[in-house]
Amino acid sequence: MAEHITDEDRELLDELGVDTAPVAAGGRSPREQRIIAGFEEIERFVENQGRAPQHGEHGDIFERLYAVRLDRIRESAECREVLKELDTRGLLGSASHDSASIVEGERSDEDLLASLGLEPSPDNDITRLVHVRPREEIKAAEEVARRMPCEDFDAFQPLFEQVQRELNAGVRSTAKYEMKVEIKKGDLFIHDGQKALVADMGQEFTSEYERQNRRLRVIYDNGTESGYLLRSFQRALYKDPASRRILKTDPGPLFAGIEEEGDLATGYVYVLRSKSDHPFVSEHRSLIHKIGVTGGDVSSRIAGARKDPTYLLADVEIAATYKLANIDRKRLEALLHRFFSSARLDMELKDRFGLQVEPREWFLVPLSVIDETINKIKDGTISEHRYDPETGRITAI
């Protein structure tokens, strides 16, 4: 017999990436598979609602259907035997209801199915769950049920637009979601291909299974929102293979004029000017600059420039340098190159072997604009601006 898995064990296994979903053993008969499929629908209801399905007019048609089904499963020795090793939540218990214990006037499983426009099983057998929907259909229906139009989306749209600009500029980054990550108000995620904001968190409460939970308000960038329970949202993110956390990149002291104790020197941003005699370069020499980041000495890096297509096969001079401290060099270089991508130099050269090359780190940008850009990265406002190659200026977005 398989060892019983507690809710705490399940969370730990989720964090370790172990799939704890019940798996039907090999050799299951079609009858047993139908019993398991029907029980899994009830378990999904419990997972989303934090309680077992209940009888009564207060519940929707599906909850009442699940309640009737659970009663019948509990009353069936065969069903209990099939499900006993899969019942991780203790839903089976003992047969606490008989057919007469159902609320008077409560419709049967078949009546409920008929009201939904579905055909009941011809032989009235609990194992003939002809109304069990395919998993993809269930997932789609649950997703629709969780989402609703966000009436005050106008208040959130500017934030989503700002976040997208910051992602484009490299001010924000993304990381794979992990179950152990604590979710807080204001956190941003990518879920089902959409940006999602945790706009609010309700009061914490203890669920039927003695687990702490709370209701969330999650706003999506397509103008919808959902009222996930915290644990349900965590599971939804974990089960989405493309889900990501959206993080604010804290650059720290990007550029150190004076090194402070504890600072980790990480190199330089360098701006080079070419001495090439190429006609176009000669004509625009004061505007054409190579922008790069290095962890070593800049002079040593450019020593062999005349033999390297990266440097336009010509000597270069250092126009400016900015010392770095505590910064990811590759990320900063990517940020600078993206910011000036509209002004990238479109030029092809042949290397010493006659092969065509296209340098990618040269830009038609005045040195004063590069200096202004560095300052905007320092003060954290770079995502609010763009470079206009027509005017040669930085403009607000």
Side-chain angles (χ1 to χ4, degrees):
M1 179 180 295
E3 184 179 355
H4 180 71
I5 300 176
T6 66
D7 289 330
E8 290 74 16
D9 292 337
R10 181 183 292 275
E11 284 189 357
L12 177 59
L13 290 171
D14 281 345
E15 292 180 10
L16 293 173
V18 178
D19 188 2
T20 59
V23 179
R28 292 284 193 189
S29 68
R31 179 185 182 88
E32 290 172 334
Q33 291 176 10
R34 287 193 292 269
I35 292 173
I36 292 170
F39 185 66
E40 286 179 342
E41 275 203 330
I42 297 172
E43 284 199 312
R44 278 191 290 273
F45 174 89
V46 175
E47 180 178 318
N48 290 329
Q49 301 299 322
R51 59 177 174 80
Q54 299 174 3
H55 296 289
E57 295 295 332
H58 65 279
D60 65 23
I61 194 71
F62 286 105
E63 178 174 0
R64 293 155 65 190
L65 173 61
Y66 297 149
V68 171
R69 183 187 301 164
L70 182 57
D71 285 343
R72 294 184 177 182
I73 288 175
R74 286 169 172 169
E75 293 165 1
S76 167
E78 178 190 8
C79 290
R80 291 201 305 273
E81 179 63 25
V82 171
L83 299 171
K84 64 182 181 182
E85 294 183 4
L86 306 179
D87 181 24
T88 59
R89 294 182 172 85
L91 293 176
L92 297 182
S94 59
S96 57
H97 298 279
D98 55 27
S99 59
S101 69
I102 298 177
V103 178
E104 183 177 358
E106 184 69 39
R107 287 177 289 178
S108 69
D109 200 357
E110 288 72 27
D111 291 336
L112 291 174
L113 289 174
S115 70
L116 292 171
L118 301 170
E119 289 298 325
S121 170
D123 58 3
N124 194 26
D125 183 349
I126 186 65
T127 67
R128 295 295 302 276
L129 298 173
V130 296
H131 54 280
V132 175
R133 296 171 292 168
R135 289 183 180 275
E136 290 305 314
E137 182 182 338
I138 292 169
K139 181 179 179 181
E142 289 176 345
E143 184 63 22
V144 171
R146 283 196 295 265
R147 302 281 184 92
M148 63 189 74
C150 178
E151 300 295 337
D152 57 343
F153 185 68
D154 287 347
F156 298 98
Q157 188 170 8
L159 172 62
F160 284 118
E161 293 173 350
Q162 174 74 6
V163 169
Q164 186 59 54
R165 288 195 296 269
E166 291 176 349
L167 285 169
N168 293 341
V171 177
R172 286 186 184 269
S173 60
T174 66
K176 180 177 175 58
Y177 175 76
E178 298 176 347
M179 279 289 287
K180 64 184 179 182
V181 173
E182 180 184 359
I183 293 178
K184 304 181 297 297
K185 180 178 178 179
D187 283 353
L188 286 151
F189 301 90
I190 296 175
H191 178 222
D192 286 341
Q194 296 168 343
K195 289 186 285 295
L197 166 70
V198 180
D200 202 3
M201 303 182 75
Q203 291 294 320
E204 192 171 68
F205 64 88
T206 303
S207 72
E208 181 180 348
Y209 301 99
E210 302 300 320
R211 302 172 71 188
Q212 298 303 306
N213 214 337
R214 61 202 322 168
R215 182 68 65 181
L216 308 181
R217 186 187 184 200
V218 182
I219 311 296
Y220 290 86
D221 66 352
N222 67 347
T224 62
E225 67 175 272
S226 74
Y228 275 107
L229 288 173
L230 172 59
R231 292 187 180 276
S232 296
F233 188 51
Q234 288 174 320
R235 283 189 291 269
L237 289 169
Y238 182 73
K239 291 178 181 178
D240 177 5
S243 69
R244 308 283 291 178
R245 290 187 294 150
I246 299 177
L247 307 174
K248 184 78 170 181
T249 301
D250 181 8
L254 292 183
F255 308 94
I258 300 177
E259 289 187 51
E260 298 180 0
E261 184 178 355
D263 279 354
L264 178 63
T266 51
Y268 299 86
V269 174
Y270 60 85
V271 182
L272 306 179
R273 189 172 291 143
S274 177
K275 294 182 178 181
S276 170
D277 57 3
H278 187 284
F280 184 83
V281 175
S282 298
E283 182 181 354
H284 302 91
R285 197 180 306 279
S286 63
L287 291 178
I288 298 176
H289 294 100
K290 183 182 189 300
I291 304 172
V293 179
T294 181
D297 178 69
V298 179
S299 298
S300 299
R301 185 180 180 89
I302 64 177
R306 69 175 64 188
K307 298 179 181 179
D308 190 340
T310 303
Y311 298 95
L312 305 184
L313 298 173
D315 288 330
V316 295
E317 60 179 340
I318 301 173
T321 60
Y322 305 86
K323 191 172 184 178
L324 305 179
N326 306 333
I327 185 64
D328 185 321
R329 295 193 301 272
K330 289 184 178 180
R331 183 174 294 174
L332 176 60
E333 185 173 65
L335 168 60
L336 287 165
H337 290 177
R338 275 198 302 271
F339 189 77
F340 290 122
S341 61
S342 61
R344 194 184 303 275
L345 181 64
D346 184 13
M347 184 175 177
E348 292 185 350
L349 298 170
K350 288 186 178 180
D351 65 13
R352 54 186 176 143
F353 302 106
L355 299 176
Q356 203 78 10
V357 294
E358 184 178 354
R360 303 293 297 167
E361 297 183 355
W362 291 85
F363 304 88
L364 280 161
V365 181
L367 183 60
S368 60
V369 171
I370 298 173
D371 189 69
E372 183 183 357
T373 301
I374 295 296
N375 288 326
K376 291 191 182 303
I377 294 176
K378 284 184 184 180
D379 62 25
T381 63
I382 188 66
S383 63
E384 301 170 13
H385 296 82
R386 60 180 288 270
Y387 178 65
D388 183 356
E390 297 298 324
T391 63
R393 296 183 179 182
I394 295 176
T395 61
I397 296 177

